[in-house]
Amino acid sequence: MAPQLPARIKRRLSAILAADASGYSRLMHKDEEATHAKLMTILAESVEPAIAEYGGRIVKNTGDGLLAEFPSAVEAVRAALRFQARVKEFTAADAEDRRIAFRVGINVGDVIVEPHDVFGDDVNIAARLEGIAEPGGICISSAAYDYVRGKVGVEFADLGEQNLKNIARPVRTYAALTDGRHAAIPAYGLAQTFSPPRLSIVVLPFTNLGGDAEQEYFVDGLTESLTTDLSRISGSFVIGRHTAFTYKGKAVDLKQIGRELNVRYVLEGSVQRSGKRLRVNVQLVDAETSSHLWAERFDKPIADLFDMQDEIVSHLANALNAQLTEFEAQRSERSLHRGSMDLYFQGKASWNKGWTPEHMQQARSFFERALFLDPGNIEAMVGIAFVDLVVGSSFFTDQRTAHLVAAEAALGRVLSLAPNHAFAHLALGGVLMCNCRAAQGLAECERALALDRNIAEAHALIGWAKYFMGRGAETETHVSEAFRLSPRDILSFQWSMMVGFAKLQVSADEEALGWFRRSIEANRNHPTSHFGLAAVLALLGKQEEARAAVQVGLALNPTFTIKRFKSFSVSNNPAFLEGAKRAVKGFHLAGVPNE
C-alpha cells in the first residue's frame, strides 16, 4: 500500500487587516459592562458591516479586536476608512477618556489559510502595524501601499522603515492622512521613531579651510548650487539650504543631524585654496551609523571661479546620483517587503552594471515588477524604455525595430504625463537617433540639458548624433564635455566606444584603438566595445589580437553577427555609410561570424 501523503497546505495572496480597540483594558477597568456593551455595538453596527460591504471575511475575533482577510488591498483600506469614520461618528458624544477608537494595520502577503484562521509572517506584520497606528488611524505596509496608492481617496505619509517586534527585517510603513491632517502619524516623534525616506540627504555648508573671507562666497555658493542640483535627482528628498545653513560654523554630530532632519545621508565637504590651485573634498556619510560611504576629491588650477563652481557641482551631482542609486538598491535588497520604488532602484542598479543581455533582462524584470505594483511609477516606465533602447541598439536581437518602437511609445506616454522629465527626453533622443532621425534626437538631448544641465550623457549622445550625421570628427568634442562633467561616469564605457566608431568613420584608426581600449578598461562587460576593438586591430594588421577580441565579444554576446550589424540602419548619410563599411571590413578580417 502506498504511503499516504500529507495534506497540501493551502496558501493564497491576501490583504490582512488587524484591528483592535485602543486603551480597551483601561476602559474595562473603569466600567466593564458599559465598555463591553459599547464595543459589541460598535463591532456589530460599524466594523463588521463595513468589512462585509467590501468583500472581506472576519477570520477571528480577538476580544477587543479582530483579524479580517480581503481579496484586495484596495477593498481592505476602503473598509477600514469606512468603519473608522462610522466609529468616530458613533462615539463623537462620548467623553474623550471614555471614547473607543480602533487602530488598524493592513498588509498584503502570501498566507497559510485555515477555515477559521490565517497564519504566517505577513499576518504578524499586519498585527504589528496595528500596534504602531494611532487611535483612529490606519498604518499599512509598502506591499499594501503599492496597490492602493491613488485609488482610495486619501493620501499617505511615508513613515520609513520600521523595526517591528519579532519581524526579521524592517518594514516600510505608511499612515493614512484622514480628514486632510496627519491624524494617523503617531505622536511620539517622527524624527526619533521613523526611518528617513529614500534618497534623503542634507548638504552641510562646506568648510572654508583657508579662512579667506573673499573665498567665503564661493564656498557658500558651492553648497547652495549642489543642494539645488541634487534636488533634480529623481525621487530625492533634499533638505533646503536655509535649514542646512543653520549648522554653518558649528561642531556637529552627524548622527544627531540625521535624527533632527530625518535624513539617510549627510554630505559634508571642504574647500582649500593653495596658490593657483583649488582643492575640494567631499564625503558622503550614513547618518544612522556615521560611517563614510563615499569620498571624492576635485583638484585643479584656478580659472574663472563661477565656471569652476558649475563644473564641480556637475561632477559631484553625477557621481552622487550613481552612488545613491547603488546604496538605495542595497537597502532594498535587505527590505522584507520591497515596494515599487525599491524595485526601481534595484532595476537601475542592474542597468548600471553593464549593457549585457543578462543585465538588461534583470533590469527589465525589476522595472516591470515595480510597474505592476504601481502602474503610475514614471521612473519605472522610463527604465523599461531605456532597456528597450539598449537592447534595440546593442545588437542583442534581430527584433531591434520592435524594441525601439516600444521605447518610443512608452516615452510618448511618459512625456504626456511628465512633459519636463529630463531623462525621458534624453531616452527619446537616443531612440530617434537609432530610427534615422538624428537631428530630432539631437534636439531632444538639448531639451534634456535645458531641464537638467548636469546630464553628461546628453552631451555624449549629441556626439553620437553627429556620428550618425556623418560628422564623426566632431564627436570627440561633445564626448569630452560629458567626461568633463562626469569623469568616472557609469556610462563612460559607452561614450568611449562612441568616439572609437567615430574615429573609424574618419579613418583615424590609431586613435580609435585607444578609445576602444579605454571603453573596455571602464567596463569589460560591454560586448560591442570588444567587437569595435577587433575591427580596428584587424584594419591595423594585428590579426591575432583581433581574433582574441572577437572571442571575448562573442562570450558576452554570442548572437552578434556581421549581418546583424549591417541591419542596424540608422542613417543614409554617405559619410556614415562609408564608415560603417570600414567597420564591416574590419569584422570580416577579425573573423566575426557573418550570420
Side-chain angles (χ1 to χ4, degrees):
M1 180 176 176
Q4 186 174 359
L5 296 175
R8 184 178 179 184
I9 294 175
K10 185 177 180 181
R11 307 186 69 101
R12 64 171 167 246
L13 187 66
S14 298
I16 304 299
L17 181 152
D20 80 342
S22 174
Y24 183 69
S25 297
R26 174 181 55 81
L27 294 171
M28 286 290 284
H29 179 71
K30 289 184 176 181
D31 191 336
E32 284 185 353
E33 293 185 3
T35 298
H36 180 72
K38 187 99 175 189
L39 178 64
M40 292 302 104
T41 301
I42 290 173
L43 287 171
E45 297 185 7
S46 299
V47 179
E48 293 171 3
I51 290 172
E53 179 182 353
Y54 287 97
R57 74 173 182 108
I58 295 176
V59 175
K60 64 180 177 182
N61 290 295
T62 57
D64 60 345
L66 55 85
L67 194 69
E69 180 193 20
F70 290 79
S72 158
V74 170
E75 299 297 85
V77 173
R78 285 174 176 166
L81 291 169
R82 176 65 61 88
F83 74 65
Q84 290 286 48
R86 288 177 177 174
V87 170
K88 183 179 178 181
E89 292 173 6
F90 190 86
T91 61
D94 295 344
E96 188 171 345
D97 64 343
R98 293 184 176 273
R99 189 176 299 158
I100 291 177
F102 282 85
R103 301 177 301 175
V104 176
I106 297 173
N107 183 39
V108 173
D110 194 300
V111 300
I112 297 172
V113 181
E114 297 288 351
H116 303 294
D117 211 343
V118 288
F119 302 91
D121 260 359
D122 290 302
V123 177
N124 297 334
I125 288 169
R128 299 305 182 198
L129 291 173
E130 165 254 292
I132 68 171
E134 258 201 347
I138 303 167
C139 278
I140 69 175
S141 66
S142 61
Y145 175 75
D146 285 325
Y147 285 108
V148 307
R149 180 184 179 189
K151 298 176 183 176
V152 292
V154 295
E155 296 297 321
F156 291 84
D158 185 346
L159 306 185
E161 291 182 342
Q162 300 302 303
N163 293 308
L164 304 177
K165 184 177 179 181
N166 295 330
I167 303 299
R169 296 181 181 178
V171 177
R172 193 164 203 90
T173 306
Y174 297 81
L177 304 181
T178 54
D179 299 328
R181 57 192 174 87
H182 287 50
I185 300 179
Y188 38 80
L190 182 66
Q192 294 181 355
T193 305
F194 300 123
S195 298
R198 303 177 184 88
L199 283 181
S200 50
I201 187 170
V202 59
V203 182
L204 293 180
F206 280 32
T207 303
N208 180 7
L209 292 180
D212 183 353
E214 293 183 2
Q215 189 175 291
E216 197 70 24
Y217 75 93
F218 171 77
V219 177
D220 288 349
L222 193 63
T223 306
E224 292 183 17
S225 294
L226 191 53
T227 298
T228 299
D229 286 22
L230 287 182
S231 68
R232 293 191 176 105
I233 296 175
S234 181
S236 65
F237 174 77
V238 184
I239 297 296
R241 63 185 179 88
H242 294 297
T243 297
F245 269 86
T246 63
Y247 295 95
K248 183 177 172 67
K250 298 178 181 178
V252 293
D253 180 329
L254 299 185
K255 286 186 179 180
Q256 182 180 341
I257 288 176
R259 290 192 297 269
E260 289 176 356
L261 301 179
N262 199 37
V263 294
R264 283 186 175 179
Y265 307 104
V266 176
L267 188 74
E268 59 178 356
S270 63
V271 180
Q272 184 174 19
R273 185 168 182 170
S274 178
K276 295 183 179 181
R277 297 191 71 82
L278 190 75
R279 172 173 292 177
V280 178
N281 289 299
V282 296
Q283 294 89 230
L284 182 68
V285 180
D286 184 319
E288 184 179 0
T289 64
S290 289
S291 59
H292 284 65
L293 301 174
W294 171 82
E296 181 67 286
R297 172 180 292 175
F298 193 95
D299 190 352
K300 66 179 298 182
I302 292 173
D304 182 275
L305 284 180
F306 285 108
D307 286 345
M308 287 189 71
Q309 186 180 105
D310 286 346
E311 184 176 346
I312 292 167
V313 168
S314 293
H315 178 151
L316 294 176
N318 277 295
L320 276 166
N321 194 346
Q323 292 295 327
L324 289 170
T325 296
E326 181 61 30
F327 295 139
E328 290 299 313
Q330 291 172 7
R331 286 179 184 269
S332 297
E333 288 178 355
R334 298 193 297 268
S335 178
L336 180 62
H337 288 287
R338 287 176 286 183
S340 182
M341 286 305 295
D342 293 315
L343 292 166
Y344 163 73
F345 282 119
Q346 288 191 263
K348 192 69 184 295
S350 294
W351 191 85
N352 287 347
K353 288 177 182 176
W355 291 0
T356 66
E358 180 183 4
H359 290 146
M360 290 303 103
Q361 174 109 25
Q362 291 172 350
R364 182 188 293 278
S365 176
F366 282 121
F367 291 142
E368 287 178 343
R369 288 160 60 192
L371 206 55
F372 175 78
L373 290 178
D374 178 10
N377 188 332
I378 286 177
E379 304 310 322
M381 295 182 202
V382 175
I384 291 172
F386 263 117
V387 169
D388 275 320
L389 171 57
V390 170
V391 173
S393 63
S394 296
F395 313 107
F396 295 159
T397 175
D398 291 323
Q399 308 302 317
R400 60 176 297 273
T401 301
H403 285 280
L404 295 173
V405 168
E408 186 169 356
L411 293 167
R413 290 193 296 272
V414 167
L415 291 171
S416 70
L417 297 169
N420 291 326
H421 196 295
F423 279 92
H425 283 285
L426 177 71
L428 182 58
V431 171
L432 292 172
M433 290 175 198
C434 292
N435 274 330
C436 297
R437 288 174 282 172
Q440 290 174 258
L442 189 153
E444 287 293 331
C445 291
E446 289 176 338
R447 173 65 175 151
L449 281 172
L451 292 166
D452 185 348
R453 63 178 183 168
N454 296 320
I455 304 181
E457 171 71 355
H459 290 287
L461 280 182
I462 288 172
W464 200 225
K466 296 290 183 70
Y467 164 65
F468 290 158
M469 296 162 76
R471 294 156 60 182
E474 301 174 37
T475 298
E476 183 179 355
T477 298
H478 296 285
V479 170
S480 294
E481 178 64 13
F483 274 113
R484 187 181 75 86
L485 296 179
S486 189
R488 289 187 290 277
D489 198 278
I490 54 174
L491 292 179
S492 61
F493 68 93
Q494 174 77 357
W495 304 347
S496 297
M497 185 205 71
M498 292 176 180
V499 182
F501 278 108
K503 293 296 183 181
L504 261 180
Q505 186 182 88
V506 296
S507 300
D509 294 345
E510 289 288 352
E511 291 182 61
L513 182 65
W515 282 100
F516 282 122
R517 291 196 190 281
R518 181 174 175 178
S519 172
I520 292 167
E521 287 172 7
N523 189 332
R524 297 185 179 277
N525 292 325
H526 187 46
T528 310
S529 298
H530 290 281
F531 292 121
L533 175 65
V536 175
L537 287 168
L539 290 172
L540 291 171
K542 301 178 180 182
Q543 302 299 120
E544 189 173 337
E545 289 181 67
R547 286 187 169 82
V550 169
Q551 294 309 307
V552 176
L554 289 174
L556 293 167
N557 180 10
T559 66
F560 183 87
T561 63
I562 293 174
K563 179 181 178 181
R564 181 173 289 176
F565 179 84
K566 291 169 71 174
S567 71
F568 191 67
S569 177
V570 294
S571 174
N572 292 320
N573 178 275
F576 171 81
L577 294 175
E578 192 59 36
K581 285 181 182 178
R582 294 197 77 240
V584 168
K585 179 181 178 182
F587 292 150
H588 278 297
L589 292 172
V592 174
N594 279 309
E595 54 182 73

